[in-house]
Amino acid sequence: MVSRVIPVKAFDLVVFGGTGDLARRKILPSLFRRFVAGQMPDNAYVIGVARSEFDTNGYQDLVIAALQEFEPELSASGELKSFIKQIQYVQIDAQGDLGWSDLAGIVRKDAIQAFYFSVSPSLFGPLAEKLHQYSISSKSSRIVLEKPFGRDLNSARALNAVLKEHFSEEQIYRIDHYLGKETVQNLMAVRFGNMLFEPLWNSQYIDHIQVTVAESVGVEGRGSYYDQAGAMRDMVQNHLMQLLCLIAMEPPAKFSPDAVRDEKLKVIRALDPINSKDIVRGQYSTVGTEKGYLEAVDNPSSKTESFIALKVQISNWRWAGTPFYLRTGKKLKARCSEIAVVFKETPHSIFGPDAGSHRNALVIRLQPDEGMMMDLTIKEPGPGGMRLIDVPLDMTFAEALGPEIGAVPDAYERLIMDVIRGNQTLFMRGDEVEAAWSWTDPVINQWVSKGTSPVSYDAGSSGPEDSMMLMHRDGRKWREIS
Ligand code: NAD
């Protein structure tokens, strides 16, 4: 099977923050891969913009070094030389006048214009204002925004209001890179492209759903940012919430931006407020010579959580009575993101009590090894009695789709090309983001007002013991983090 590549139209992609970590690690390598795949045409340009003093040659050297570091195999091909010819640079001060006339002279009016704000959110407003003031953007330009989109409802509202002064909602692309992951999109394909699952996709047949996003790394170099955010703001309000929406939403009438986003919004609005007994917050502690969280963020009195587990209920006809268990954390035993849809047991076992209890589970693995797995119950082989065992029907996409399809594309490749194509389906709408903050704000405010501290868990474990209890007390258990 060969992946189809349809080249996009001529574009100018201006990357504000073009010298930053995200640009070097994700945005530029993703563009390079799309270039090599034949999707980025010869008349498309990437214009790096940052505060640093570079000329275009100097910036091209930075891009080459980034690609050699983060895309070493492809960089060794002859394609790098051709790609680099399509890279330009402008030095700009987002808050002053330096460089803006130069940028205005470069960005073409007759090509698709996309402005990627890969900078601190405090610069989103000034950038939008300057693009307008220097007549660089037009009614058809697109702006792309990185997370975090606010730190609570008020700041998200203020950010939306500032952007809307110069750009309409149809021009604003709020990135949640989880939505660009192949498996996440496959969740929609599996639900709405097969007859098999949708009739069973409700509280009558599904016992519960678990979503795990586990990281094995700690806060690394992001300590000061992370300590102000914590797992609830950094992961649950956006990534886990988006996954929950795609699992729980009603079938949209079509796969179009507003049809999908309307259904996601309804899910967020149907979430019950969370009870404090249904939340476990944790902070990783020192094991051996490794730094614990408090040391890593250099804040001995921090009450920020590096782990959170939640039991969430959706009050609507489809999901009443089926809990969603979400957990995410740092310094856990493995890097693993997956969604497990755990079905109910059969209403009656014809095989008697010795057969044990068995539940089918559909597991959607986001990373590593993107794929899907279905736990099926079968007879244990052998001449003994009728004993039942659970076996996985396992499908790794890379194996199932064959080598010609190539590696699973990075989420950023898909999302950047969607910006150029003008397709907002996989981007968050302003009202979705605000609704998500409306749900998380009261929970966070409660911790702050009560001064609640997270419980401690060992680095390299599966998280705090209390998070296991969250499931055990309901007669359920988490899948292994592996
Ligand atoms: P960074 O600190 O590495 O880079 C910041 C960039 O902004 C630099 O290119 C710098 O020159 C530019 N800049 C700063 N002030 C400027 C000014 N006044 N005028 C013009 N340019 C200015 O940051 P980063 O890690 O690349 O992150 C960028 C954004 O993306 C942040 O909002 C971050 O939260 C978000 N983000 C980053 C990651 C990541 O993995 N790095 C992941 C998700 C979201």
Side-chain angles (χ1 to χ4, degrees):
M1 198 185 300
V2 178
S3 149
R4 272 184 306 140
V5 173
I6 302 167
V8 293
K9 293 192 183 141
F11 65 82
D12 282 344
L13 173 65
V14 178
V15 183
F16 291 103
T19 58
D21 176 67
L22 186 69
R24 289 185 307 105
R25 261 184 334 104
K26 287 288 180 189
I27 303 172
L28 292 162
S30 295
L31 284 162
F32 181 41
R33 285 194 290 272
R34 290 295 89 208
F35 176 85
V36 173
Q39 197 161 25
M40 186 173 151
D42 296 344
N43 52 358
Y45 293 93
V46 178
I47 304 158
V49 172
R51 243 185 336 196
S52 322
E53 199 178 333
F54 280 114
D55 56 12
T56 283
N57 285 340
Y59 183 64
Q60 288 176 340
D61 289 342
L62 177 145
V63 176
I64 291 171
L67 296 177
Q68 284 169 340
E69 182 177 355
F70 298 110
E71 196 51 76
E73 264 176 48
L74 273 191
S75 299
S77 72
E79 304 270 14
L80 181 57
K81 243 183 171 168
S82 316
F83 176 67
I84 230 61
K85 287 187 192 142
Q86 294 176 231
I87 306 276
Q88 293 167 285
Y89 182 76
V90 179
Q91 182 191 2
I92 258 184
D93 180 6
Q95 286 161 311
D97 288 306
L98 174 76
W100 286 98
S101 305
D102 298 339
L103 187 63
I106 288 182
V107 176
R108 294 169 295 172
K109 295 283 176 214
D110 57 350
I112 294 167
Q113 303 165 351
F115 302 98
Y116 199 130
F117 293 4
S118 179
V119 292
S120 154
S122 61
L123 295 179
F124 290 179
L127 288 179
E129 174 64 38
K130 291 283 185 199
L131 285 171
H132 176 75
Q133 184 190 330
Y134 282 84
S135 305
I136 301 172
S137 56
S138 68
K139 291 256 173 287
S140 59
S141 315
R142 289 134 210 191
I143 55 171
V144 186
L145 309 169
E146 268 300 335
K147 79 166 195 184
F149 199 86
R151 57 173 280 109
D152 54 21
L153 178 59
N154 284 341
S155 53
R157 272 193 182 143
L159 213 44
N160 276 333
V162 164
L163 296 171
K164 296 263 177 75
E165 282 176 25
H166 302 299
F167 296 94
S168 67
E169 183 61 43
E170 288 65 42
Q171 296 179 275
I172 304 176
Y173 290 71
R174 295 175 195 79
I175 285 214
D176 185 317
H177 70 271
Y178 271 61
L179 293 180
K181 288 182 185 285
E182 280 291 304
T183 349
V184 174
Q185 293 163 60
N186 252 310
L187 179 57
M188 287 186 275
V190 163
R191 278 194 65 190
F192 306 128
N194 295 284
M195 198 51 212
L196 197 59
F197 294 109
E198 203 46 29
L200 307 179
W201 208 260
N202 56 54
S203 59
Q204 200 181 338
Y205 296 101
I206 294 179
D207 178 73
H208 73 278
I209 286 163
Q210 9 183 315
V211 181
T212 297
V213 177
E215 294 178 84
S216 53
V217 294
V219 294
E220 308 300 304
R222 294 171 70 222
S224 54
Y225 157 75
Y226 192 88
D227 200 38
Q228 295 299 312
M232 186 72 158
R233 285 192 173 99
D234 191 50
M235 297 298 293
V236 177
Q237 186 273 344
N238 38 57
H239 307 315
L240 276 83
M241 178 74 79
Q242 289 295 322
L243 297 180
L244 177 133
C245 286
L246 295 180
I247 304 162
M249 71 183 182
E250 294 301 313
K254 50 186 173 175
F255 191 58
S256 69
D258 279 335
V260 171
R261 298 184 303 175
D262 285 347
E263 295 306 334
K264 288 197 291 167
L265 181 60
K266 285 185 209 162
V267 173
I268 304 175
R269 291 192 172 148
L271 291 174
D272 280 356
I274 316 187
N275 201 312
S276 55
K277 72 171 180 30
D278 291 333
I279 305 177
V280 177
R281 297 166 70 221
Q283 214 176 53
Y284 60 86
S285 58
T286 320
V287 173
T289 52
E290 277 196 59
K291 282 184 183 169
Y293 178 83
L294 298 176
E295 257 186 287
V297 299
D298 195 19
N299 179 6
S301 55
S302 172
K303 290 182 175 173
T304 303
E305 73 286 352
S306 60
F307 174 97
I308 189 164
L310 311 148
K311 178 181 172 185
V312 176
Q313 307 269 8
I314 302 174
S315 277
N316 63 19
W317 270 55
R318 188 185 281 264
W319 294 115
T322 294
F324 285 65
Y325 297 89
L326 316 178
R327 70 176 161 170
T328 180
K330 293 195 174 291
K331 280 276 181 199
L332 296 175
K333 63 193 283 197
R335 172 175 174 260
C336 143
S337 299
E338 62 172 41
I339 298 163
V341 178
V342 182
F343 289 85
K344 291 188 172 170
E345 287 180 38
T346 53
H348 164 71
S349 171
I350 64 168
F351 306 110
D354 291 347
S357 75
H358 298 273
R359 286 171 174 167
N360 301 124
L362 174 68
V363 180
I364 299 143
R365 214 171 30 229
L366 274 52
Q367 62 194 22
D369 305 329
E370 297 198 34
M372 290 199 186
M373 195 190 80
M374 182 83 204
D375 266 346
L376 276 191
T377 302
I378 62 163
K379 178 189 170 296
E380 190 180 312
M386 191 68 174
R387 283 188 297 270
L388 303 183
I389 51 166
D390 295 332
V391 291
L393 278 181
D394 206 339
M395 184 181 87
T396 306
F397 290 152
E399 271 173 32
L401 300 175
E404 298 86 4
I405 199 94
V408 176
D410 186 88
Y412 278 89
E413 290 177 59
R414 164 75 199 239
L415 294 175
I416 295 171
M417 288 301 116
D418 275 0
V419 172
I420 305 301
R421 283 187 287 247
N423 184 348
Q424 290 185 300
T425 310
L426 300 177
F427 296 82
M428 294 180 297
R429 211 168 53 190
D431 51 3
E432 259 183 271
V433 176
E434 290 183 15
W437 282 122
S438 301
W439 182 74
T440 44
D441 267 7
V443 183
I444 297 172
N445 293 344
Q446 208 184 25
W447 303 333
V448 175
S449 65
K450 287 190 179 160
T452 328
S453 295
V455 294
S456 146
Y457 63 95
D458 286 347
S461 70
S462 299
E465 214 25 59
D466 292 4
S467 68
M468 306 301 153
M469 287 311 297
L470 187 71
M471 282 282 215
H472 286 171
R473 70 173 197 221
D474 294 342
R476 300 177 172 116
K477 68 176 191 184
W478 291 107
R479 289 172 51 82
E480 271 292 304
I481 294 178
S482 60

